[in-house]
Amino acid sequence: MLTARIAVLVSGGGTNLQALIDRQGDGTLKSGQIALVIADKAGVKAISRADAAGIPCEVIARKEDGFEEKVLAALAAHKIDMVVLAGFLGILSGDLIGKFGGPILNIHPALIPAFCGKGFYGLRVHQEALDYGVKVTGATVHYVNEIPDGGKIILQKAVDILPGDTPEILQRRVMEQAEWVLLPQAAEIVAAQIVQEKENTL
Ligand code: GRF
C-alpha cells in the first residue's frame, strides 16, 4: 500500500512522537509511515521511544556546523515526503523549508494566534495563558513557514483552564487532551493528500 514517508524531529521527551507511533500502530495513522526520527540532541527520551519502535533515529546536534545540510541529507537518504516537528525546539530556516519542498507540520501548545511566536514554547506558553487569565487554551497543528508559528492552521482543539491550574498541570492536560489527539489526526490528513498525489502520478 502506498504511504507517505514521515520524518519526525524531536528535542525532548517525545510524547508527541509516541502518540504518532501509537496511532500508526492502531491504524489511525494509516496513510503515513514514520520512516525516520531526527533528534537535535543526544540522550533525550524521544530517542529511546524511536528505538523501542524500531524506527531509524539520527542525532544531529542543532549547534553542529552544517545542521541544516545534515538534516536535508538525512531526509533525502530516507526518501522523506513530509516532516512533523514534535516537541522540536529548533527554528527551521526558510532555506531548509524551500529546499525540502514537502509539507512540514508543527504542534504548538496554544490556540494560535494566542501565545505563540518567538520564545513561546514549553511551560512558558502555559504560564502566559494563566497570567493573562484566559478560560480556554488548547493546541494547534499548523504548516511551518519561516515565521515561528506562522504557517496555515490545519487543526485546533480547545482545552479548559481550571481553578488551581499550574503551568505543569495545564501543560499535561493540553498534551493529553489536545496535542496527542491532534498531531496524529493532522499527520493522517496531510499523508493522505500525499498518497493521493502519488496515486495520481501512477
Ligand atoms: C510540549 O510542551 C509540547 O507542547 C511542545 O513540546 C513539549 C514537549 O513535547 N511541542 P514532547 O513530549 O517532546 O513531544
Side-chain angles (χ1 to χ4, degrees):
M1 176 197 170
L2 273 178
T3 54
R5 293 175 61 80
I6 302 172
V8 183
L9 273 54
V10 296
S11 297
T15 64
N16 281 288
L17 167 64
Q18 191 63 54
L20 291 164
I21 292 167
D22 294 346
R23 295 297 73 75
Q24 180 177 298
D26 71 13
T28 308
L29 177 54
K30 62 182 186 298
S31 304
Q33 174 199 353
I34 307 168
L36 174 66
V37 170
I38 297 176
D40 65 356
K41 66 180 177 185
V44 294
K45 184 144 188 256
I47 296 172
S48 54
R49 294 180 190 274
D51 293 346
I55 300 167
C57 183
E58 295 196 18
V59 177
I60 306 175
R62 209 165 351 127
K63 297 189 177 24
E64 235 168 75
D65 291 344
F67 170 75
E68 293 208 334
E69 288 75 10
K70 290 171 184 169
V71 168
L72 284 165
L75 296 178
H78 289 265
K79 299 182 174 32
I80 298 303
D81 297 304
M82 58 186 275
V83 171
V84 177
L85 307 185
F88 181 71
L89 296 180
I91 300 292
L92 301 179
S93 71
D95 183 51
L96 180 143
I97 295 166
K99 285 178 178 169
F100 171 59
I104 303 175
L105 284 62
N106 181 52
I107 178 84
H108 181 73
L111 297 175
I112 292 174
F115 310 116
C116 68
K118 192 167 170 46
F120 279 86
Y121 57 87
L123 280 176
R124 179 181 168 205
V125 176
H126 305 291
Q127 183 65 64
E128 297 281 340
L130 291 169
D131 290 349
Y132 196 100
V134 293
K135 301 307 176 189
V136 290
T137 185
T140 303
V141 184
H142 63 94
Y143 287 105
V144 171
N145 62 19
E146 61 288 350
I147 302 160
D149 301 327
K152 181 173 177 287
I153 290 172
I154 303 170
L155 293 175
Q156 291 189 302
K157 191 170 191 298
V159 172
D160 287 334
I161 289 180
L162 302 176
D165 272 352
T166 63
E168 291 77 8
I169 293 170
L170 183 54
Q171 178 180 54
R172 184 77 194 177
R173 187 179 311 120
V174 169
M175 290 165 95
E176 286 175 348
Q177 295 184 12
E179 296 180 40
W180 300 343
V181 174
L182 287 185
L183 196 55
Q185 286 178 345
E188 173 55 27
I189 289 167
V190 176
Q193 289 166 352
I194 290 171
V195 168
Q196 189 60 61
E197 287 159 18
K198 287 184 176 184
E199 286 169 349
N200 292 345
T201 58
L202 288 179

